[in-house]
Amino acid sequence: MIIGSHNSWSCFPVKRWWMKLIAFTARCQSKNIVEQYELGVRCFDLRIRFEKGKPIVAHGIIEYDITEKDLLETLTYLNMKGDTYVRILHEVRTKKQYTNESVDNFVDYVQKLEGRFSNIKFWCGKNLYNWENDYNFWYTPSCEEKYSSVCPPKILDDWWPWLYARLNNKKIIKEGTNKDILLIDFVEYVY
């Protein structure tokens, strides 16, 4: 079982002042990519959309203040490790966001990432609008997701992902999964 971090790049600060008001609902990790790797994470969850052709790391309406250079540096680090997986999702959730141009940008970008970072096993390629594949990767692992927005009790739902992780991660890891990858929030609450 490979441990993965859900919304791995959500450890970065948010882009706009108003996003700070609700950022706690979208923050799924507090450790940076290197720290997550050092904790044993080998699968990372990257969600991107595009603004004027430039990649934006996002989770729902929250956008993270990470430059493309910073993103590529973290991927370079993971590529040098040689034992990592990156799930890439096209972070579009509405018909207005889901355009031919956005899909073309996504496809072009992930093809560039695959070509540049050959030691990373990229996978998924789905969009969050209709959960269809916008890009087909050769690697297709099975994955179980266990974090507040997909697991009961729904009382915590998306509001306090850190609390759900703190209360449940040790049990989730102990139970394990028969899937290839297990994605969780706040990986530091495993140890």
Side-chain angles (χ1 to χ4, degrees):
M1 172 180 77
I2 298 163
I3 302 297
S5 59
H6 169 241
N7 277 300
S8 307
W9 279 262
S10 66
C11 57
F12 282 83
V14 295
K15 257 189 176 180
R16 295 176 176 81
W17 70 268
W18 62 267
M19 292 178 180
K20 291 178 183 177
L21 302 173
I22 57 172
F24 70 95
T25 66
R27 183 161 315 266
C28 300
Q29 303 299 331
S30 60
K31 303 292 183 189
N32 66 40
I33 300 301
V34 172
E35 292 168 325
Q36 290 177 43
Y37 183 89
E38 290 171 352
L39 285 171
V41 172
R42 294 300 180 266
C43 182
F44 300 85
D45 182 22
L46 175 60
R47 293 156 184 249
I48 54 176
R49 64 171 161 253
F50 295 84
E51 189 174 287
K52 298 178 183 170
K54 299 274 187 201
I56 305 291
V57 176
H59 181 202
I61 62 170
I62 303 297
E63 296 176 349
Y64 295 98
D65 194 10
I66 174 173
T67 65
E68 185 176 15
K69 180 182 179 219
D70 292 334
L71 175 60
L72 295 175
E73 284 176 3
T74 60
L75 291 172
T76 298
Y77 171 81
L78 296 176
N79 192 62
M80 288 186 324
K81 293 300 182 181
D83 62 348
T84 59
Y85 306 77
V86 174
R87 175 171 85 163
I88 301 182
L89 289 168
H90 189 189
E91 182 63 58
V92 290
R93 296 176 184 244
T94 66
K95 188 175 184 177
K96 183 179 178 181
Q97 290 177 322
Y98 190 64
T99 64
N100 288 337
E101 182 181 7
S102 73
V103 173
D104 290 345
N105 285 331
F106 181 76
V107 168
D108 289 346
Y109 197 70
V110 296
Q111 285 176 334
K112 288 175 188 171
L113 293 180
E114 275 189 310
R116 183 170 179 176
F117 302 109
S118 59
N119 290 331
I120 296 174
K121 288 185 178 121
F122 291 101
W123 62 284
C124 195
K126 294 184 183 294
N127 70 70
L128 292 163
Y129 170 59
N130 60 19
W131 202 243
E132 295 291 325
N133 278 351
D134 287 348
Y135 185 79
N136 293 310
F137 291 98
W138 68 269
Y139 183 67
T140 56
S142 59
C143 178
E144 186 165 355
E145 301 176 67
K146 292 226 174 171
Y147 40 83
S148 65
S149 59
V150 296
C151 293
K154 285 303 205 176
I155 298 165
L156 301 175
D157 199 33
D158 282 334
W159 289 99
W160 297 286
W162 66 269
L163 181 57
Y164 181 87
R166 185 172 196 135
L167 295 173
N168 294 287
N169 275 2
K170 287 182 182 175
K171 178 181 163 198
I172 288 168
I173 295 298
K174 186 176 180 182
E175 289 173 356
T177 181
N178 61 352
K179 307 282 182 166
D180 299 320
I181 295 170
L182 176 63
L183 290 179
I184 59 173
D185 285 340
F186 294 95
V187 294
E188 68 267 26
Y189 293 130
V190 171
Y191 309 98

